[in-house]
């Protein structure tokens, strides 16, 4: 069997458009119009020699938000699941094409205007006359369905000439992306890092917002992102949370939740002055650093805060003792430090730093100020440390590491850096659709982890999407287990 891509196009005109777009040697077969021909052709093709199959053609858009030329990447076709659809749709979007994933249904006639709403009622996006029977030809091999919208409820068959042309243009442009999808197909091993995903502080912060929503109903105002993850924020927004940058966006007298990253005393004072009811979701491990900053400053120490400029947690900690605290990000910052008294210097850390990077800066502080005071216990929190140790263990045996997490998540970014420092390429992704297909070419072992703010479901979603490219065997390397839980603030306790 070859590993060549086979592209099935029901109509000759579709096959021609696809061939025009191809850059490699994929085989395009014109399979014929309608369900009967598609079923016959699928039976013949089952025995053919190919590695992957892509079913490409035009179709009827069922929802009013689709336009001619939009691409629908099928998540299923008949009884066949197209698990890699999010990967393919993400790659199509990065190629500048309007693509989304959704259900594709196969019907045995041209869809009439009056039928569209009923067909769309279960969430189906597009109807065609061939995908389901053709998908059976995959017979266990990776399968993709890419359909370009030719007509929609707003652009019915009367506009099919212009709509059809737009659809054919999109098919042509999608052809090289289908080739990239095929090149990324293959059997793989996924090494899961354990622990990964939510930490106790993030779970607590999310639960606080959920409980306030339950008790008070929407809207619930939250200052800054409750945790740095677009999925979590999007989910809570859809349930009525309103994320604001500053308190002046919160109406007088309303309830406001402070995020897990903490706030400076100025923000608390502002909330009190405004008469806002505050529920504090600051992680207790961040509050611990705040308390240390206050204590060192009260004892006359200059506090060197090792952290990243602009991060919300750092801003909150700096605000605890602004006249006594100096941010140091590098050993060069330590060299430039001018404390009031070199004998009274202490250091603290942002909780989500790289253990190695922070050790370099604290080492520079100890060298320059031998009497420097350290925090009573590590400021880099257990969850950050554990996830770095765990990802290092899988990176050693992986060709590539995928880190689920958002770009503004400090601990997730540090996981990528940890892998890179270990010599393994790593990428930060919010979800499966962020995986670039060329990352996967030639990669047989993928390490997979998630930052402390990334939901566990994203990891499942990534594994499911990868399994659409070929068989995936999953094993987990657990370097430690976590049992830490934090209590909820009194305002939301039962
Ligand atoms: S990463 Fe650490 S400091 Fe941040 S919320 Fe989680 S446990 Fe708390």
């Amino acid at each position: 069997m070859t590993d060549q891509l086979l592209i099935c196009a029901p109509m000759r005109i579709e096959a021609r458009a696809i061939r025009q777009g191809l850059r490699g040697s994929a085989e395009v077969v014109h399979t014929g119009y309608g369900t009967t021909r598609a079923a016959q052709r699928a039976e013949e093709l089952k025995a053919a020699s190919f590695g992957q199959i892509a079913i490409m053609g035009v179709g009827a858009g069922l929802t009013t938000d689709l336009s001619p030329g939009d691409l629908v990447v099928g998540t299923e076709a008949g009884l066949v699941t197209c698990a890699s659809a999010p990967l393919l749709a993400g790659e199509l979007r990065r190629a500048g094409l309007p693509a989304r994933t959704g259900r594709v249904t196969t019907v045995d006639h041209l869809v009439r205007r009056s039928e569209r709403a009923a067909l769309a009622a279960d969430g189906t996006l597009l109807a065609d006359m061939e995908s389901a029977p053709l998908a059976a030809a995959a017979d266990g091999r990776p399968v993709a369905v890419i359909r370009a919208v030719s007509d929609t409820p707003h652009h019915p068959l009367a506009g099919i000439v212009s709509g059809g042309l737009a659809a054919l243009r999109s098919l042509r442009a999608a052809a090289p992306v289908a080739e990239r999808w095929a090149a990324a197909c293959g059997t793989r091993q996924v090494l899961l890092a354990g622990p990964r995903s939510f930490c106790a502080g993030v779970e607590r912060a999310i639960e606080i917002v959920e409980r306030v929503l339950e008790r008070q109903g929407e809207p619930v105002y939250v200052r800054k992102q409750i945790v740095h993850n677009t999925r979590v924020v999007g989910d809570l927004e859809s349930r009525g949370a309103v994320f604001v940058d500053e308190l002046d966006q919160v109406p007088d007298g309303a309830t406001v939740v402070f995020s897990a990253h903490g706030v400076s005393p100025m923000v608390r004072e502002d909330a009190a002055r405004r008469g806002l009811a505050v529920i504090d979701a600051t992680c207790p491990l961040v509050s611990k650093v705040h308390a240390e900053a206050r204590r060192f400053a009260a004892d006359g120490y200059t506090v060197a805060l090792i952290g990243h400029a602009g991060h919300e947690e750092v801003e909150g900690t700096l605000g605890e003792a602004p006249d006594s605290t100096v941010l140091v990000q590098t050993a060069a910052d330590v060299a430039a430090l001018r404390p009031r008294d070199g004998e009274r210097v202490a250091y603290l850390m942002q909780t989500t730093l790289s253990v190695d990077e922070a050790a370099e800066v604290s080492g520079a502080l100890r060298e320059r100020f031998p009497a420097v005071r350290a925090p009573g216990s590590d400021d880099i929190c257990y969850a950050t440390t554990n996830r770095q140790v765990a990802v290092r263990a899988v990176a050693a045996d992986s060709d590539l590491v995928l880190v689920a997490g958002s770009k503004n998540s400090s601990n997730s970014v540090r996981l990528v850096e940890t892998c890179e420092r270990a010599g393994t390429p790593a990428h930060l992704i919010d979800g499966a659709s962020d995986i670039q297909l060329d990352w996967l070419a030639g990669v047989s072992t993928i390490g997979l982890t998630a930052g402390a703010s990334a939901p566990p479901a994203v990891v499942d979603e990534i594994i499911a999407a990868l399994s659409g490219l070929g068989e995936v065997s999953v094993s987990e390397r657990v370097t430690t287990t976590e049992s830490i839980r934090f209590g909820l603030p009194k305002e939301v306790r039962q």
Side-chain angles (χ1 to χ4, degrees), residues 199-202 260 283-286 313 351-352 381-384 411 452 486:
C199 61
V202 164
C283 176
L285 299 182
V286 174
E313 181 189 322
T351 56
T352 50
C381 76
Y382 79 97
T384 298
N411 82 87
F486 298 130

Side-chain angles (χ1 to χ4, degrees), residues 433-451:
S433 62
D434 289 342
I435 298 173
Q436 295 182 24
L437 293 174
D438 61 359
W439 296 345
L440 303 177
V443 163
S444 60
T445 304
I446 297 177
L448 181 56
T449 187

